[in-house]
């Protein structure tokens, strides 16, 4: 029983870290899109509208992120209802954009920061906070369907769920396996 629990925990951790790694790769690209566009806008066309520049950069990165997460990171958890999934994604990202834009606005208007680099940094800190919120919200609210149609993911639900047909190993089976000359260990 302890071995089975240990295997389930390792499998769950493996599944979780695969999703975290993919989410991180998508997030890294979205981070570059968001901050590159925001930096350009803050130092160019939207020079006096830092919060608006952050909002626009984040919005473009959000569209990229939805496509990449839908078709790569959480492809085995996509919802059948694409419109519902997209709306949920937008709501979660709206919260994330609110966090990053809000920190930029608080720094500028609440704290009186005027240095563009410090305002940019406030938005980056907001993105980092929002990223943690986004991962868990995507995983449990947006991309939460198990699609067993893809063979490579058909066994993922087994990591978490206990199978009704699985039973504890009988003690006699353990004794027999120890008596097997092919296995290491002292004879019984």
């Amino acid at each position: 029983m302890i071995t089975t629990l240990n295997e389930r925990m390792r499998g769950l951790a493996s599944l979780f870290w695969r999703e975290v790694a993919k989410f991180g790769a998508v997030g890294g690209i979205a981070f570059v899109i968001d901050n590159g566009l925001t930096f350009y806008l803050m130092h160019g066309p939207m020079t006096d509208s830092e919060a608006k520049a952050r909002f626009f950069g984040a919005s473009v990165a959000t569209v990229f992120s939805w496509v990449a997460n839908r078709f790569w990171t959480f492809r085995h958890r996509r919802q059948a209802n694409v419109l519902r999934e997209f709306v949920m994604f937008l709501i979660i990202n709206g919260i994330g954009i609110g966090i990053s834009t809000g920190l930029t606005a608080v720094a500028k208007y609440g704290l009186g920061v005027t240095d563009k680099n410090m305002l940019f940094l406030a938005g980056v800190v907001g993105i980092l906070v929002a990223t943690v919120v986004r991962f868990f919200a995507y995983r449990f609210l947006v991309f939460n369907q198990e699609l067993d149609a893809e063979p490579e993911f058909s066994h993922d639900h087994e990591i978490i769920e206990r199978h009704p047909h699985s039973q504890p190993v009988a003690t006699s089976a353990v004794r027999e396996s120890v008596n097997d000359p092919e296995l290491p260990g002292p004879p019984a």
Side-chain angles (χ1 to χ4, degrees):
M1 182 165 140
I2 292 176
T3 305
T4 304
L5 181 59
N6 190 21
E7 288 173 3
R8 285 185 185 175
M9 294 302 290
R10 265 191 271 144
L12 182 58
S14 172
L15 172 64
F16 179 75
W17 287 114
R18 279 183 283 156
E19 287 180 345
V20 167
K22 289 178 181 181
F23 179 79
V26 169
I29 295 169
F31 182 82
V32 169
I33 292 169
D34 182 354
N35 287 299
L37 189 54
T38 299
F39 189 81
Y40 166 72
L41 292 172
M42 277 185 171
H43 291 84
M46 294 183 167
T47 194
D48 292 328
S49 302
E50 292 85 0
K52 288 179 186 174
R54 173 62 64 193
F55 179 81
F56 187 78
S59 297
V60 172
T62 295
V63 173
F64 163 78
S65 180
W66 178 69
V67 171
N69 279 310
R70 176 170 174 73
F71 292 104
W72 188 48
T73 307
F74 300 109
R75 70 179 182 258
H76 60 289
R77 298 185 186 285
R78 292 185 298 231
Q79 293 187 20
N81 186 339
V82 179
L83 182 60
R84 181 186 182 283
E85 179 185 273
F86 185 66
V87 168
M88 289 292 297
F89 191 85
L90 288 178
I91 291 169
I92 299 304
N93 273 282
I95 293 168
I97 290 170
I99 292 170
S100 62
T101 304
L103 283 179
T104 303
V106 166
K108 181 175 182 174
Y109 304 113
L111 301 176
V113 175
T114 57
D115 181 44
K116 291 194 182 302
N117 292 329
M118 292 305 292
L119 293 172
F120 182 79
L121 184 61
V124 170
V125 170
I127 289 171
L128 296 176
V129 171
T131 297
V132 174
V133 172
R134 283 180 177 129
F135 175 76
F136 288 103
Y138 291 169
R139 174 67 175 80
F140 294 105
L141 299 174
V142 179
F143 302 108
N144 60 357
Q145 299 295 312
E146 281 286 338
L147 297 182
D148 290 338
E150 295 184 46
E152 64 189 41
F153 296 106
S154 63
H155 66 283
D156 284 352
H157 63 88
E158 295 172 5
I159 294 168
I160 301 167
E161 299 170 0
R162 182 170 172 87
H163 298 291
H165 64 275
S166 66
Q167 298 174 8
V169 178
T171 342
S172 61
V174 172
R175 284 190 198 122
E176 288 173 16
S177 68
V178 173
N179 290 332
D180 187 353
E182 297 288 321
L183 298 173

